[in-house]
Amino acid sequence: MIKAIKGTKDILPGEVEKWQYVESAARDVFQLCGYNEIRTPIIEETSLFIRSIGDATDIVQKEMYSFSDKGERQISLRPEGTAPVLRAYLENGFDRRSGFSKFYYIGPMFRSEKPQAGRSRQFHQAGVEAIGSYSPYLDAEIILLFASILDKLGINGYLVKLNSVGCSKDRANYNHFLKNGIENRLNDLCEDCRSRFLRNPLRILDCKKESCKEIVSNLTSMPDLLCDECSKHFEKVKENLKILGNSLQVDGHLVRGLDYYTRTVFEVVHPLLGAQDAIGAGGRLDNLMAELGGAETGVVGFAMGIDRVIKIKESTVEQFPYKRSSGIFLVTIGEEAYKKGIEILWMLRRRGISSDIDYEERSLKAQMRAADKYGSRFSAILGEDELRQNVITLKDMQSGEQSQISMDSLAEKVAPKLSL
Ligand code: HAM
């Protein structure tokens, strides 16, 4: 039997409602804050990701699904959404037409990582990119926006870890400083970090191995070595995030697994997620547009992992997805009633009332069971007697109350109770 590929999964009815719930909360907040949806292709030229994410990163080195197509073009499934959005911004002339633009996206991303709890090969992100401003208020805005989505979803107990990795010069200085500080402990570093030491020492700060953590733990943190301008920017970002109170923690050793960041970087973590504790992450990427062939442009964004948000909700509320009661299930007895039932069904649907019917001409009992399974708020029974009198028997499935009403008044009668 053919099965879904390792690290991917089907999202089935009963489960998919969780996704709709989270996606719609994110969409509401994005739109509230003036972000417009963008949908970019799932496949892109591999070079887009090499140039943006960085060729020394784990994503580019080990985790991309890449292949050459029939025209010998190097193609990759998108491992993230930022580079495609910037590519689309440039390719569609937004830089000339509108300048400052705020985009959001929701969709699947692909990384060939070792599947484990909280880490899959196809996962889903909801993210934003605000393009065309260097303002520190915007760095704060996207972090507050992220927090608003979590608040809307009723998720508490998250922590926003914040840092600044400065400009390219600051990073070069800090890399130099790190190299000097670590040089005499090189042999105590893990194998990966020994290679990071040569290629990108900053990434040593991100190593999860205790021995490496201990080596860097006492080193001066990045914000202490920033240039004046980057330092001022960081102060403004922090000032505007005071509203987060204890949910904000400055972590001077926070670095990211993607090379494109400048200045602000952040990660939102939650203790219920275990080892893979990041619900989402982001920051500023002021060099990326030029890297992709555009003019130097201020960009700031984040991506939230939808799979992980769902995991938190599942472990904090008893009933998730919240049961949505559907409108009316029509129960008909006999052929004439069935024909009338179909007419009523489409009348209800045209009025925006969710409704369904049994297709198999089953017994009254079986149809009532189907009404229950459908999760309907009402059932409406239509038999020979009802047809003759032009009425319908309406049963409130919550209270069990039953009454006969005229067919014409059905929609008016139920709509208020379905909060339409
Ligand atoms: P990222 O940190 O690579 O950043 O991913 C963001 C979030 O996606 C993670 O915090 C996590 O919740 C989720 N995620 C990543 N990989 C997996 C996986 N294998 N399985 C499940 N969830 C995963 C980015 O992707 C940047 N593009 C964020 C950004 C946008 N920066 C600026 N703009």
Side-chain angles (χ1 to χ4, degrees):
M1 196 166 56
I2 300 174
K3 293 191 167 165
I5 288 168
K6 200 172 164 199
T8 72
K9 66 170 185 182
D10 303 308
I11 305 173
L12 304 174
E15 181 81 2
V16 81
E17 291 78 5
K18 300 175 184 175
W19 295 77
Q20 292 166 346
Y21 175 76
V22 173
E23 285 166 8
S24 112
R27 201 179 287 279
D28 285 352
V29 179
F30 292 151
Q31 288 174 356
L32 195 71
C33 298
Y35 289 75
N36 296 303
E37 184 169 6
I38 183 165
R39 299 187 189 193
T40 63
I42 302 284
I43 50 174
E44 296 274 359
E45 276 186 32
T46 300
S47 58
L48 173 68
F49 301 112
I50 298 179
R51 267 158 76 175
S52 54
I53 299 171
D55 56 2
T57 59
D58 283 355
I59 296 181
V60 167
Q61 288 275 315
K62 310 183 211 161
E63 296 168 4
M64 286 218 288
Y65 281 101
S66 302
F67 57 95
S68 64
D69 72 359
K70 290 196 175 118
E72 297 297 311
R73 284 171 288 259
Q74 289 305 308
I75 310 276
S76 293
L77 300 190
R78 61 181 189 193
E80 59 103 50
T82 306
V85 170
L86 266 61
R87 190 230 1 99
Y89 175 90
L90 282 177
E91 186 173 340
N92 294 286
F94 278 90
D95 48 342
R96 281 172 277 115
R97 273 195 282 138
S98 45
F100 183 63
S101 308
K102 302 206 278 190
F103 299 105
Y104 80 85
Y105 54 88
I106 298 177
M109 307 292 159
F110 305 85
R111 294 183 197 173
S112 168
E113 296 185 87
K114 193 164 180 279
Q116 50 186 282
R119 193 174 266 183
S120 37
R121 292 183 168 169
Q122 175 172 338
F123 58 98
H124 304 79
Q125 289 184 339
V128 300
E129 310 298 339
I131 306 178
S133 168
Y134 292 95
S135 166
Y137 298 103
L138 205 51
D139 305 42
E141 170 173 295
I142 62 152
I143 295 173
L144 294 174
L145 188 160
F146 195 142
S148 298
I149 298 175
L150 298 178
D151 294 344
K152 193 174 170 91
L153 289 166
I155 292 178
N156 311 309
Y158 57 85
L159 185 68
V160 179
K161 290 188 184 174
L162 181 74
N163 193 18
S164 173
V165 295
C167 54
S168 326
K169 268 195 195 151
D170 288 336
R171 274 194 308 288
N173 282 342
Y174 196 73
N175 269 330
H176 186 69
F177 163 83
L178 267 183
K179 276 192 152 181
N180 282 340
I182 294 175
E183 209 162 28
N184 57 352
R185 309 264 328 252
L186 206 53
N187 291 334
D188 300 330
L189 289 175
C190 71
E191 202 183 315
D192 279 347
C193 283
R194 279 203 293 277
S195 113
R196 286 174 186 142
F197 182 85
L198 299 173
R199 297 187 332 161
N200 189 358
L202 256 184
R203 303 274 302 126
I204 297 174
L205 297 178
D206 204 22
C207 186
K208 302 285 179 278
K209 304 232 167 59
E210 283 307 322
S211 52
C212 301
K213 274 192 193 168
E214 184 269 316
I215 293 172
V216 293
S217 63
N218 291 324
L219 293 175
T220 306
S221 64
M222 254 180 281
D224 294 328
L225 299 178
L226 294 176
C227 67
D228 267 3
E229 260 187 71
C230 289
S231 187
K232 272 189 207 144
H233 185 98
F234 193 42
E235 286 310 311
K236 284 229 169 86
V237 176
K238 283 191 289 183
E239 204 179 295
N240 282 282
L241 288 176
K242 275 199 180 132
I243 190 171
L244 289 175
N246 289 338
S247 307
L248 181 72
Q249 184 192 76
V250 174
D251 175 351
H253 281 172
L254 178 73
V255 288
R256 307 267 308 111
L258 306 96
D259 280 351
Y260 49 44
Y261 292 103
T262 52
R263 294 189 168 170
T264 310
V265 289
F266 71 95
E267 228 170 61
V268 183
V269 296
H270 199 288
L272 284 173
L273 286 175
Q276 306 301 323
D277 66 351
I279 319 176
R284 185 162 270 288
L285 347 113
D286 294 342
N287 296 337
L288 186 53
M289 198 65 87
E291 202 64 54
L292 297 178
E296 286 273 337
T297 313
V299 181
V300 61
F302 74 77
M304 176 183 95
I306 301 177
D307 313 55
R308 295 188 187 174
V309 168
I310 289 174
K311 199 173 163 203
I312 297 171
K313 282 298 288 180
E314 282 172 337
S315 51
T316 49
V317 288
E318 231 164 70
Q319 197 199 48
F320 182 65
Y322 305 112
K323 220 171 176 185
R324 192 166 43 100
S325 81
S326 305
I328 306 183
F329 196 89
L330 289 168
V331 173
T332 62
I333 305 142
E335 206 177 327
E336 283 309 306
Y338 186 71
K339 275 189 203 155
K340 186 69 187 171
I342 297 283
E343 227 177 80
I344 297 174
L345 181 71
W346 281 102
M347 178 277 290
L348 292 168
R349 287 173 174 175
R350 274 193 295 274
R351 308 266 306 246
I353 297 172
S354 119
S355 39
D356 214 344
I357 197 164
D358 184 66
Y359 301 98
E360 308 297 336
E361 296 181 34
R362 287 186 291 184
S363 69
L364 175 68
K365 211 168 150 196
Q367 290 188 56
M368 289 308 283
R369 264 203 308 273
D372 207 35
K373 198 167 152 211
Y374 179 66
S376 64
R377 175 76 168 75
F378 294 99
S379 59
I381 304 157
L382 195 59
E384 277 175 20
D385 282 353
E386 280 90 353
L387 266 187
R388 221 175 303 117
Q389 296 169 45
N390 206 26
V391 293
I392 199 156
T393 304
L394 184 67
K395 181 172 178 189
D396 186 322
M397 302 291 277
Q398 270 174 15
S399 65
E401 266 171 45
Q402 197 165 304
S403 60
Q404 282 198 332
I405 57 166
S406 79
M407 275 187 209
D408 299 339
S409 66
L410 178 62
E412 279 90 281
K413 184 97 183 163
V414 296
K417 296 203 173 142
L418 296 170
S419 48
L420 292 170

